């Protein structure tokens, strides 16, 4: 089963957005549209009061500032969709093989797009396939279905009947820092290549341990 190291907590809603009837994600255009509708409803000429009108005006100003500060993050979130789909596919395969996946969430993004959309930025940070029956064929399957897993930092393939070819068939793991290849059929050539990968801190294999001190 995947483990969600999730720092999200239930947070109070933004009062200004709530007053205007808005929910995340929100843009300045959304705020303006909601403001015009609310302002008409509470205007003294339409049965509202001066106090209500002032309250909506204040909510509008606060919501515009909120949307301006966080709106720049929305294009970035859209770019996350392909990675999100890749991660969903990878987690499904990993768990189907009896492995373990660890997922981290970006707590700050919830303030921009809301809890549901913030899931798009979840990061698969650790894969553990030890104690499974995974071999080269399964790793090749994963590589065919998933292009890249850039947030994976820890990869445990110990005890698997895999070769260099199986490892090389994996999706691109550009953020990898620690890999465990104990008990595999991988070669010293692969281990040395992994140790030279940018950002790598530790490569473990039978009779061979490479630590990089940064």
């Amino acid at each position: 089963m995947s483990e969600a190291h999730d720092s999200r907590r239930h947070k109070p809603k933004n009062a200004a957005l709530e007053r205007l009837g808005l929910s995340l994600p929100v843009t300045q255009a959304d705020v303006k549209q909601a403001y015009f509708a609310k302002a008409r409803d509470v205007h003294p000429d339409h049965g509202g009061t001066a106090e209500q009108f002032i309250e909506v005006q204040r909510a509008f100003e606060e919501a515009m500032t909120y949307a301006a500060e966080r709106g720049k993050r929305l294009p970035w979130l859209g770019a996350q969709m392909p990675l999100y789909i890749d991660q969903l596919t990878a987690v499904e395969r990993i768990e189907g093989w009896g492995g373990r996946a660890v997922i981290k969430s970006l707590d700050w993004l919830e303030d921009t797009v809301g809890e549901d959309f913030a899931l798009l930025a979840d990061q698969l940070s650790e894969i553990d396939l030890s104690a499974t029956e995974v071999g080269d064929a399964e790793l090749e399957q994963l590589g065919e279905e998933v292009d890249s897993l850039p947030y994976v930092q820890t990869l445990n393939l110990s005890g698997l009947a895999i070769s260099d070819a199986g490892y090389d068939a994996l999706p691109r793991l550009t953020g990898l820092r620690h890999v465990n290849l104990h008990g595999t059929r991988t070669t010293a050539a692969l281990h040395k290549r992994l140790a030279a990968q940018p950002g790598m801190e530790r490569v473990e294999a039978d009779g061979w341990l490479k630590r990089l001190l940064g």
Side-chain angles (χ1 to χ4, degrees):
M1 296 293 290
S2 61
E3 296 180 6
H5 285 195
D6 198 336
S7 58
R8 295 191 189 106
R9 298 186 181 91
H10 179 69
K11 299 179 180 179
K13 295 181 179 179
N14 181 279
L17 297 181
E18 193 171 28
R19 180 67 182 84
L20 296 175
L22 293 168
S23 58
L24 296 172
V26 65
T27 65
Q28 287 185 305
D30 298 328
V31 173
K32 290 177 181 178
Q33 183 177 1
Y35 165 70
F36 290 138
K38 286 289 183 180
R40 284 196 302 269
D41 292 341
V42 301
H43 196 281
D45 292 344
H46 293 86
T49 67
E51 290 78 9
Q52 289 175 322
F53 187 78
I54 291 172
E55 181 184 348
V56 168
Q57 180 65 37
R58 288 174 177 169
F60 167 72
E61 294 172 355
E62 292 178 14
M64 284 293 285
T65 299
Y66 188 95
E69 291 174 348
R70 292 161 174 79
K72 296 177 181 179
R73 298 170 178 170
L74 294 178
W76 174 85
L77 183 65
Q80 289 294 109
M81 181 61 76
L83 291 176
Y84 177 70
I85 294 174
D86 273 356
Q87 289 188 148
L88 284 182
T89 302
V91 170
E92 180 180 357
R93 290 299 179 195
I94 292 164
E95 294 183 341
W97 295 328
R100 183 174 66 96
V102 176
I103 297 174
K104 293 182 179 179
S105 63
L106 299 183
D107 184 51
W108 59 264
L109 194 59
E110 188 176 335
D111 291 334
T112 299
V113 297
E115 182 177 354
D116 292 338
F117 284 94
L119 293 173
L120 293 177
D122 281 352
Q123 298 181 349
L124 174 58
S125 64
E126 181 178 344
I127 297 174
D128 185 353
L129 288 171
S130 63
T132 70
E133 299 299 320
V134 169
D136 284 351
E138 287 76 17
L139 298 188
E140 290 170 5
Q141 178 185 23
L142 182 61
E144 290 173 356
E145 297 177 337
V146 176
D147 179 57
S148 177
L149 297 172
Y151 304 120
V152 174
Q153 297 183 357
T154 301
L155 177 64
N156 188 353
L157 302 178
S158 62
L160 303 187
I162 64 170
S163 66
D164 290 13
Y167 184 92
D168 287 337
L170 283 168
R172 287 179 290 120
L173 303 170
T174 54
L176 197 59
R177 296 181 181 177
H178 173 208
V179 59
N180 188 338
L181 296 170
H182 279 303
T184 67
R185 293 186 283 107
T186 55
T187 68
L190 173 64
H191 308 157
K192 291 178 181 179
R193 175 157 54 88
L194 291 175
Q197 182 173 307
M200 185 67 72
E201 297 175 358
R202 188 164 80 251
V203 177
E204 298 182 59
D206 293 338
W208 197 85
L209 172 64
K210 180 70 174 180
R211 293 182 183 273
L212 302 179
L213 302 178

